[in-house]
Amino acid sequence: MTSYTDKGPRPEFGRYQGYDHITFWVGNAKQAASYYITRFGFTSLGYKGLETGHRDVASHAVSQNGITFVFQSPLNPGNTLFSDHQNLHGDAAKDVAFAVDDCRAIWKKAVARGAKSIRSPWEEKDENGVVVMATVATYGDVEHTFIERTNYTGAFLPGYIATPPDPITSLLPETDLRFIDHIVGNQPDKEMVAACELYVHLFPPLFYHFHTTLTPSFLPPSYEKALDFHRFWSVDDSQIHTEYSALRSIVMTDYDEVVKMPINEPAVGKKKSQIQEFVDYHGGAGVQHIALRTEDIIKSVSALRARGVEFLS
C-alpha cells in the first residue's frame, strides 16, 4: 500500500462537499425502501410519483444521519430505459450524486474536457428555494449528478413530499450509521486506468491516484500539467491477494478528501477473483459496494444482525 500527501494547489473553482445521495434503479422502489428502513435503520425522507404529478417514475428516498438513498422504479410498461438496465444489471446503483458549491462551473469544465453530458444544468424549485443539478456519465452505466443546494432549505429535493414514518422502526434497535465513507467501482481487467482517467481529465476538483507500478510513460499526456490532482492511495496484486485471487486498486479523492472513489480491477489468480465475479454477474462495470461509516462497529453490527441483516462470513 502506498499513500500520498502532495495535493498540489487548490482548484480555482468548484468544491466538492461530499456525497449528496445515491440513486438505485430497482424492480420495486417502495419495497426496496422498506427493506432499508426495517433492516438498516433508515427513515423515510420523501416520495415522488403519481400522487405528486410525476407519471413516469416512482421515487422513494430514505435517510440516516448523513446517508441518503433514493430508489426508483418505472410506472409505465414499455419503459425500455429502465427495463434494459434491469435486464442487464438487476437492482443496481445508477447515480452517485455529489454535493457541490458550483454545479454549472463543474459541469461546464467536465464537458469541455470530454465528459459525456447526460443532462445539462437545470433548476428545480419549490417553496423552499431552488436546486441546481447537472449529470455526466462515468464508468459502465453509472452516472454522477452534481447538486448545488446553496439556495435550498427543504428536507431533500423539490417535488418530494413527506411520508409517514414506518411504525416498526420504534420497535427495533438503532444502527447508528453516520455517513458514506467511500464507494467502490469494479472494472473488467485492464480497464481500471481508463475508468480513472475520467476523474483526472474531466472532473477538475477530483484527483487521480495512479497505481504505484505505473511509470511516467504510461500516464495520460496531461499528467504533469494537471495541477489539481494528487495521489492518495493505491495497491497492486502483490499487496492484496490470496492463494487463489488478487486485485489492483486506485483511489480518487477531491482536494478536501471528502469524496473517495476507489476503482478496482481483477488480477490473474488460480481462481476467479471477487472483482471479476462481480463484473460477470453485474454485466459490466458498476458500483460494487458502498462503505458506511459508524463510530461503534460492534454496536452497529449487533443492531443490524438483530434487524435481520445477513453478513458475509
Side-chain angles (χ1 to χ4, degrees), residues 64-294:
Q64 180 175 178
N65 296 312
I67 309 163
T68 300
F69 293 160
V70 178
F71 302 95
Q72 294 185 329
S73 296
L75 291 169
N76 299 302
N79 189 324
T80 56
L81 184 65
F82 272 82
S83 63
D84 288 351
H85 189 274
Q86 185 82 15
N87 182 59
L88 181 61
H89 304 301
D91 291 357
K94 175 60 177 175
D95 193 313
V96 177
F98 301 132
V100 300
D101 68 345
D102 192 338
C103 171
R104 290 184 177 87
I106 290 176
W107 175 86
K108 182 178 180 180
K109 192 165 188 178
V111 172
R113 292 183 171 191
K116 178 183 177 182
S117 177
I118 300 299
R119 188 174 180 183
S120 59
W122 78 96
E123 294 183 355
E124 295 189 8
K125 304 177 182 179
D126 64 13
E127 66 277 9
N128 297 302
V130 58
V131 177
V132 184
M133 294 177 276
T135 305
V136 298
T138 182
Y139 51 78
D141 289 323
V142 181
E143 299 169 356
H144 288 314
T145 294
F146 309 121
I147 298 185
E148 178 188 335
R149 49 176 76 245
T150 306
N151 298 310
Y152 190 71
T153 59
F156 182 43
L157 290 172
Y160 282 81
I161 59 173
T163 51
D166 191 324
I168 199 172
T169 57
S170 63
L171 306 175
L172 299 173
E174 293 185 2
T175 57
D176 197 32
L177 303 175
R178 308 305 299 177
F179 57 87
I180 296 173
D181 187 271
H182 63 271
I183 299 176
V184 173
N186 279 2
Q187 316 298 316
D189 191 21
K190 308 300 183 184
E191 295 185 20
M192 175 181 65
V193 170
C196 289
E197 286 177 358
L198 176 73
Y199 296 88
V200 186
H201 301 298
L202 308 185
F203 299 163
L206 288 179
F207 308 100
Y208 181 35
H209 310 277
F210 284 99
H211 192 285
T212 55
T213 59
L214 293 179
T215 60
S217 61
F218 290 103
L219 304 185
S222 64
Y223 173 71
E224 291 182 314
K225 298 179 182 179
L227 301 178
D228 55 0
F229 72 90
H230 68 279
R231 302 182 185 192
F232 180 70
W233 188 87
S234 60
V235 293
D236 62 20
D237 47 318
S238 69
Q239 297 165 309
I240 295 187
H241 66 275
T242 68
E243 181 183 355
Y244 299 104
S245 66
L247 65 83
R248 296 182 287 269
S249 182
I250 300 171
V251 181
M252 286 75 63
T253 187
D254 63 294
Y255 185 89
D256 296 300
E257 300 181 355
V258 295
V259 171
K260 295 183 178 69
M261 299 286 290
I263 304 296
N264 295 348
E265 71 177 5
V268 177
K270 293 182 179 179
K271 294 183 178 180
K272 184 184 296 185
S273 77
Q274 61 160 315
I275 311 301
Q276 186 61 51
E277 193 170 61
F278 169 87
V279 170
D280 290 345
Y281 282 103
H282 183 72
V287 173
Q288 186 253 4
H289 80 254
I290 300 162
L292 305 178
R293 177 71 70 88
T294 173

